[in-house]
Amino acid sequence: MVDSAQSTVVGPSILVNGNLQGDEDLLVLGRVEGSINLTKTINIAESGIVKAEITVRNAVVSGVVVGNITASDSVEITEAGRMVGDIRAPRVIIVDGARFRGAVDMGDMEAPRASAPLPARTTDRPAMAKSVKAAIPASTSKASTPTPPPMAKAVPVAKKPMPPPPPPRKAEPPPRAAEPVAVPVAANKKLKKKVVVKKKPG
Amino acid sequence: MANTVIGSSIIIDGEITGDEDLVVQGTVKGKIQLKESLYVEASGKVEADIETQNTEVSGEVTGNITASDKVELKTQCRVIGDIKAPRILIADGASFKGNVDMDV
Amino acid sequence: MSDTACVIGKGIQIRGNLSGSGDLVVEGRLEGHVALEDHIIVEEGGTVVADIETRELTLNGKMSGNINANERVSISSSATVMGDIRAPRVVIEDGARFRGNIEMEVPLPDNI
């Protein structure tokens, strides 16, 4: 008999359909559908398929995951991993070769914002003075520093809308950018739509 | 080791199906359907209808057990439910309440 | 990087549209819209607030904006990135800060 007291394994031919919860590591070689709630690590091996809402401390995805993962520590999608769904975790690692579609939320962070008017020294230049954003008064002093003013704090748990889009284009892009190679900004907006699971053979 | 183990702190509420052995040290509620053997260890609790080839219970089972080969109730186990199997072994010290059907 | 890489140095700020071919290294600050055909590297200390279309993008610094890369986007451990990414390959190193959507092709098994 098996005496590995503290590790749960779902073997390659096993399907678990329902809610799974516990305080130990879980290795999925087979298939789990439903929901998974662990205080430790879930490891989805290459043969593993998980179609579930996953709440864990750590997740390592080498197999297939369709569903959202909320991890109190980290989520790693390895080279062989494939995932469609959203990830919420302070640490998210996506290795080269991994496939992922969905949103990533690492909680609080400071991302740069479009700057307010440039400092006096540089605004003297005619080209700079034309900036459409010259009217925004706030945070002038920080505009020239590499460290930008902080973004509004995000609540780690709540779903936040995307941050305000970058500054609008001041002019039509030059001819080169208008070629088909370039994808217009409008196409990028599609990214904000909810993830749709598309089946792909193989 | 590709044996499937449901560890002692794990609770599964749902259905487990498969073609391999399953060791339950934790809790399973719902249904278990296997083409191989089920081992409910001393710490294991199963509240489910069980269909397997072999079932060996050292822990607790509440539910009906149907096995195509054998059901073995070990000493110290507690089983409430009906058992249907060609071979049934009940050890000294096992607690069992239910019907036994050996398809005679 | 090729010899022809354009470098936006530490003290430099650029606002506006950037387009063309050739590699770009950002050590300073870049705002606006970027459509380049080659490799863009945002160095640690560099800041980009822009939508970017490119072939390959390596982020070591800060960036906010949407990214459309036809090869690869790599977010290193020192980077902070906010925005949506569409690329065939996206790499996020441990320690990197990122928020947004990622869109890659995800081949899933038929029986999912």
Side-chain angles (χ1 to χ4, degrees), chain A residues 5-42:
Chain A
Q6 287 309 312
S7 183
T8 291
V9 182
V10 173
S13 84
I14 296 284
L15 163 65
V16 175
N17 195 340
N19 305 323
L20 190 155
Q21 63 183 84
D23 300 328
E24 61 195 86
D25 293 348
L26 170 64
L27 171 62
V28 181
L29 302 159
R31 192 167 175 134
V32 180
E33 295 180 11
S35 71
I36 296 170
N37 238 297
L38 294 177
T39 54
K40 297 220 167 118
T41 299
I42 183 170

Side-chain angles (χ1 to χ4, degrees), chain A residues 31 82 91 94 96 99 102-104 107-108 110 112-113 115-116 118 131 144 146 182-183 191-192 200, chain C residues 13 15 29 31 47 53 64 72 80-82 84 89 92 94 96-97 99-103 105 107-108 111:
Chain A
R31 192 167 175 134
R82 285 168 285 169
R91 287 166 60 213
I94 299 181
D96 198 4
R99 304 298 195 103
V104 173
D108 286 358
E110 289 186 3
R113 276 199 295 203
S115 57
L118 297 164
S131 166
S144 62
V183 181
L191 286 175
K192 294 177 181 175
K200 278 240 150 193
Chain C
Q13 299 186 34
R15 281 204 214 175
R29 187 175 176 95
E31 288 186 28
T47 302
E53 292 152 22
S64 91
R72 187 177 129 120
T80 301
V81 179
M82 195 178 264
D84 296 343
R89 287 158 70 199
I92 300 182
D94 195 4
R97 307 289 296 155
R99 184 150 77 224
N101 291 317
I102 294 175
E103 192 159 322
E105 282 291 319
L108 294 175
N111 58 349

Side-chain angles (χ1 to χ4, degrees), chain C residues 43-63:
Chain C
E43 293 293 4
E44 208 170 337
T47 302
V48 173
V49 182
D51 286 345
I52 291 184
E53 292 152 22
T54 187
R55 180 172 56 82
E56 185 167 354
L57 175 63
T58 304
L59 293 158
N60 303 310
K62 296 189 174 186
M63 148 141 199

